[in-house]
Amino acid sequence: MPELPEVETVVRTLEHQIHDCGISDVTVRLDKIIEGDAEEFCRNLTGQHFRRFARRGKYLLFYMDDILLSVHLRMEGKFWLQKPEEEMNRHMHVLFDLDNGMQLRYHDTRRFGRMQILPYDTDLTHFHDLGPEPFDDAFNAAYVHAFRKKKHVPLKTLLLDQHFVAGIGNIYADEILAACRLRPGRSCQRITREDEEHIVSETGRILKAAIAAGGTTIRSYTSSLGITGLFQTECTVHTMKTCQRCGSEIRMKRIGGRSSYYCPHCQK
DNA sequence: ACACTGACCTGCGAGC
DNA sequence: TGCTCGCAGGTCAGTG
């Protein structure tokens, strides 16, 4: 369940670990992970180097010598940097042999993740029709106002809409709404200008704090091989039993098919 | 045109 | 103990 902060953590960790590493061979063990032809994918990547590391929404972006590799981890995708002789399991679907003797392994129990080769100069502004990055100036109260006025959905659904803003997932959507004291089921038609400003500021504040928390684990990663996020660090409502602010019992309701946690006392 | 639902997948834990 | 069932959730195709 990697959301923006975890993807950012993975990007930074990999940049630290495999910057400028070359790919000597690629093995695809599960074709469906690859968008397009798997053999062509392997051919295109062989001989390329990991030159630059970036993120757009929940997409990992690896700029190679003259192509772009985009990876979406979806729910359970993870990268492992291991020695080729280390034990393999049935969930390791794509293997990148590196010229430093290590192997970068893509692990995904639920097989939802996807990888794609794109032109180096792919326009990221309209990439997968993603909305603005949460830290971009384009994500401001006026933008929230204009977007939400066209929609008739609960606030939770609005925050999860990647066309609205890129990178928020189920956990942070709940946390942002708790910080704004807004119920996830509240219609996005029925909020104030002040609420719009809160949504912008709390989104930025919470995601930045989460990235900073993810950053602390990067250090522990240097001694470990798995690259996963932490992100259950500072939840106030999501999967909690009682509200951290008032002690009320947290309620769970399904909104837009997702479980949504909120405090009935603090959130209106 | 918009909003909603189910499919994609596997592993895990609750309940019988 | 061993089975079934529901849940976990990001995204998109399909439906109303």
Side-chain angles (χ1 to χ4, degrees):
Chain A
M1 314 145 225
E3 304 183 30
L4 185 151
E6 191 182 20
V7 175
E8 182 71 26
T9 301
V10 172
V11 166
R12 291 181 185 186
T13 305
L14 284 173
E15 179 168 34
H16 184 252
Q17 293 181 315
I18 62 169
H19 190 255
D20 283 337
C21 280
I23 296 174
S24 54
D25 199 14
V26 183
T27 308
V28 175
R29 306 169 82 212
L30 184 68
D31 283 2
K32 64 168 293 182
I33 299 290
I34 312 301
E35 305 274 8
D37 184 68
E39 283 182 31
E40 197 181 334
F41 177 88
C42 298
R43 237 185 355 260
N44 284 336
L45 279 172
T46 302
Q48 298 271 331
H49 300 75
F50 289 93
R51 298 302 188 190
R52 197 159 68 78
F53 299 74
R55 177 194 58 73
R56 176 78 171 95
K58 299 170 195 168
Y59 290 83
L60 291 151
L61 299 170
F62 303 101
Y63 285 89
M64 312 303 292
D65 295 306
D66 55 16
I67 51 177
L68 173 59
L69 169 62
S70 130
V71 178
H72 199 302
L73 305 172
R74 295 285 185 98
M75 243 75 82
E76 312 233 345
K78 291 171 184 67
F79 280 107
W80 294 72
L81 192 60
Q82 298 186 312
K83 291 177 180 164
E85 61 269 25
E86 279 185 79
E87 195 178 338
M88 188 78 64
N89 71 37
R90 69 197 197 91
H91 300 301
M92 289 171 176
H93 304 307
V94 185
L95 314 173
F96 303 89
D97 286 308
L98 304 179
D99 60 8
N100 64 359
M102 298 297 282
Q103 195 173 52
L104 183 67
R105 297 173 169 180
Y106 177 71
H107 181 284
D108 190 347
T109 45
R110 289 168 74 180
R111 310 175 167 201
F112 282 162
R114 293 292 181 270
M115 298 186 186
Q116 189 174 17
I117 301 280
L118 296 164
Y120 191 88
D121 59 357
T122 298
D123 174 22
L124 296 181
T125 312
H126 304 104
F127 189 62
H128 290 264
D129 283 325
L130 293 177
E133 287 291 313
F135 309 126
D136 196 292
D137 290 342
F139 184 61
N140 56 46
Y143 169 81
V144 171
H145 183 81
F147 195 100
R148 72 151 179 101
K149 276 289 185 182
K150 306 179 293 197
K151 296 283 176 182
H152 294 80
V153 293
L155 284 171
K156 174 68 178 270
T157 303
L158 182 75
L159 287 182
L160 289 177
D161 183 353
Q162 302 298 299
H163 305 101
F164 171 58
V165 59
I168 298 175
N170 200 38
I171 294 171
Y172 286 111
D174 281 359
E175 293 302 317
I176 290 161
L177 290 172
C180 294
R181 301 192 172 223
L182 294 166
R183 291 201 190 188
R186 169 102 75 103
S187 165
C188 70
Q189 289 292 317
R190 306 173 85 90
I191 61 170
T192 65
R193 174 66 77 169
E194 196 181 10
D195 293 328
E196 291 166 349
E197 283 166 12
H198 282 156
I199 287 170
V200 172
S201 60
E202 291 304 311
T203 297
R205 186 182 66 78
I206 288 171
L207 294 181
K208 271 182 188 153
I211 289 172
T216 60
T217 41
I218 287 175
R219 280 170 221 124
S220 70
Y221 285 146
T222 53
S223 59
S224 97
L225 296 167
I227 299 164
T228 55
L230 61 160
F231 77 54
Q232 49 277 61
T233 34
E234 287 168 34
C235 287
T236 63
V237 290
H238 195 87
T239 71
M240 300 296 282
K241 288 272 183 287
T242 55
C243 174
Q244 302 299 288
R245 186 149 44 201
C246 76
S248 298
E249 196 172 332
I250 294 294
R251 280 193 203 154
M252 196 276 265
K253 191 180 173 186
R254 290 193 83 76
I255 298 167
R258 326 264 170 94
S259 49
S260 306
Y261 296 81
Y262 67 97
C263 171
H265 178 255
C266 294
Q267 293 171 253
K268 304 295 179 193

